Amino acid sequence: MIERHIIIENVDPVTFYGVNNSNIQLIRNLFPKLRMAARGSVITVIGDDSETAEFEEKIHSLADYCAEYNTLPEDVIIDTIKGTPPKQLKMDDVIVYGVNGKPISGRTPNQQLLVKKFAENDLTFALGPAGTGKTYLAVALAVRSLKNREARKIILSRPAVEAGEKLGFLPGDMRDKIDPYLQPLYDALEDMIPQAKLKEYMENNVIQIAPLAFMRGRTLNDAIIVLDEAQNTTTHQIKMFLTRLGMGSKMIVTGDTTQIDLPRATTSGLIHALRVLEGVRGIGKVEFEKKDIVRHQLVQRIVEAYERFHEEEKLFAQTNTNNKEEQA
């Protein structure tokens, strides 16, 4: 009789062990001659040398499947332990498998173009209206790079600019005040990484979410860096951010130039950067359109209504200007 200690890496123990340890109970039933106990990311097994060796091999195969797909169904456990390769869930254009095995992929031509531009360039701009999946897709690409060991960490940032509300009136300390601005980034991560694993990544600074101001003075190596809502940066802020790019890193900058919350006299750093960096080698750009909106179908109609309204306002203002000039 020997005792083996098997460490399951890169998986969420809750997902691997199943609800109420249902998966580990199934594994125990399929290896009736072994005694086993699971605690955290370590499984201890006692039994015959050859059978414990086979058990360790099967556990690593199950862990690989769970790390890839973020799920571990009963039929996969049974097939793997009985020596039948589990059916692969591979689908074309899947970026990463989210929580419960949900495939996340580019759903529109422009979303697929963003995936391509990210692969080809170290800095990619993703521009377009609300609901086109810019932020969600950028986070998915970052998570894939982390899972594939193409990067050691993920840095997600947003400018803390009020959209009609005042930061000072929010309750709590500075972290409590800042977190609501970063919530869309948390939401995307929670869709793609099991809760326990996400908590571990954040506690170990493998995934960092911070306001733009916290980026000053840093050089970000071997990282995927995402700047969201970049239209609300100033020219100095976006220059500071873009120059944080370190060796082995990639950066995605997302923004919507029609939703600028800066004071009226302040130039948007995103618009300025796009003009300054036009034609620079190594920089990609994807412009999303209304047809790329993947939220509720009403969102597309709302965006179109606002566009019509602003066009009518501009036409009305131009007509008034022309009338005044004629009267003069």
Side-chain angles (χ1 to χ4, degrees):
M1 302 283 284
I2 69 163
E3 180 177 306
R4 293 179 187 265
H5 300 281
I6 304 160
I7 300 174
I8 52 171
E9 297 181 309
N10 301 318
V11 299
D12 173 46
V14 175
T15 305
F16 187 85
Y17 296 144
V19 177
N20 296 324
N21 288 327
S22 58
N23 287 348
I24 202 70
Q25 185 58 50
L26 175 59
I27 293 169
R28 186 178 281 116
N29 292 339
L30 292 168
F31 284 95
K33 295 180 182 178
L34 299 180
R35 291 164 51 203
M36 64 188 74
R39 183 184 292 270
S41 60
V42 179
I43 299 175
T44 302
V45 60
I46 300 173
D48 177 74
D49 184 26
S50 62
E51 193 162 359
T52 55
E54 181 190 0
F55 176 85
E56 182 172 11
E57 180 187 342
K58 301 298 185 184
I59 289 296
H60 285 310
S61 295
L62 291 172
D64 289 343
Y65 185 97
C66 189
E68 175 71 17
Y69 300 113
N70 269 331
T71 187
L72 191 58
E74 286 188 2
D75 59 331
V76 169
I77 296 172
I78 294 169
D79 287 347
T80 300
I81 291 177
K82 289 187 173 180
T84 305
K87 185 171 65 176
Q88 297 299 304
L89 299 180
K90 284 292 184 186
M91 296 167 58
D92 291 341
D93 302 322
V94 170
I95 298 169
V96 69
Y97 288 88
V99 174
N100 297 323
K102 168 187 160 188
I104 297 169
S105 60
R107 292 167 57 183
T108 71
N110 278 328
Q111 287 188 352
Q112 292 165 11
L113 180 60
L114 177 57
V115 176
K116 182 172 181 287
K117 291 290 185 182
F118 174 77
E120 294 172 348
N121 299 282
D122 288 337
L123 169 59
T124 305
F125 288 94
L127 315 169
T132 51
K134 307 181 301 293
T135 302
Y136 196 78
L137 212 60
V139 173
L141 290 166
V143 170
R144 182 181 69 179
S145 297
L146 184 65
K147 290 186 72 169
N148 292 346
R149 303 180 189 274
E150 295 163 359
R152 290 192 297 109
K153 56 190 172 186
I154 295 173
I155 314 277
L156 306 176
S157 186
R158 261 187 163 204
V161 175
E162 295 101 349
E165 304 85 8
K166 293 297 181 184
L167 186 63
F169 287 108
L170 292 171
D173 58 19
M174 180 55 71
R175 181 180 176 85
D176 294 327
K177 291 174 187 288
I178 289 296
D179 269 359
Y181 290 90
L182 306 174
Q183 191 59 47
L185 301 175
Y186 288 110
D187 290 344
L189 285 170
E190 287 168 359
D191 251 13
M192 301 172 199
I193 302 175
Q195 192 171 13
K197 195 65 182 176
L198 178 57
K199 182 180 179 183
E200 177 190 325
Y201 279 148
M202 297 189 73
E203 286 176 348
N204 295 330
N205 287 324
V206 174
I207 295 178
Q208 302 170 33
I209 305 179
L212 180 60
F214 287 36
M215 295 295 107
R216 188 174 298 279
R218 301 182 67 184
T219 300
L220 305 173
N221 296 318
D222 300 315
I224 305 299
I225 311 148
V226 178
L227 174 60
D228 193 33
E229 298 287 352
Q231 76 276 4
N232 289 329
T233 61
T234 65
T235 55
H236 294 296
Q237 284 176 328
I238 200 162
K239 180 183 176 185
M240 177 274 292
F241 181 84
L242 295 175
T243 53
R244 300 307 94 199
L245 188 65
M247 300 299 294
S249 292
K250 287 194 170 198
M251 188 177 282
I252 305 177
V253 176
T254 74
D256 177 3
T257 55
T258 68
Q259 290 189 334
I260 298 172
D261 300 315
L262 295 167
R264 190 174 294 275
T266 306
T267 301
S268 166
L270 176 61
I271 293 174
H272 183 260
L274 290 169
R275 288 202 304 265
V276 170
L277 300 175
E278 182 69 35
V280 174
R281 187 162 49 88
I283 297 178
K285 183 172 74 171
V286 179
E287 297 189 49
F288 291 85
E289 303 170 1
K290 295 189 295 293
K291 65 184 180 182
D292 295 304
I293 292 175
V294 291
R295 290 182 186 166
H296 192 290
Q297 59 184 2
L298 185 58
V299 174
Q300 183 169 342
R301 296 201 291 271
I302 291 170
V303 171
E304 290 170 346
Y306 270 93
E307 285 182 351
R308 286 195 302 271
F309 178 79
H310 290 310
E311 287 298 323
E312 289 168 3
E313 271 193 330
K314 282 195 282 187
L315 183 60
F316 180 74
Q318 185 63 46
T319 302
N320 280 347
T321 302
N322 292 341
N323 289 340
K324 288 178 182 178
E325 289 174 353
E326 288 174 3
Q327 291 172 3

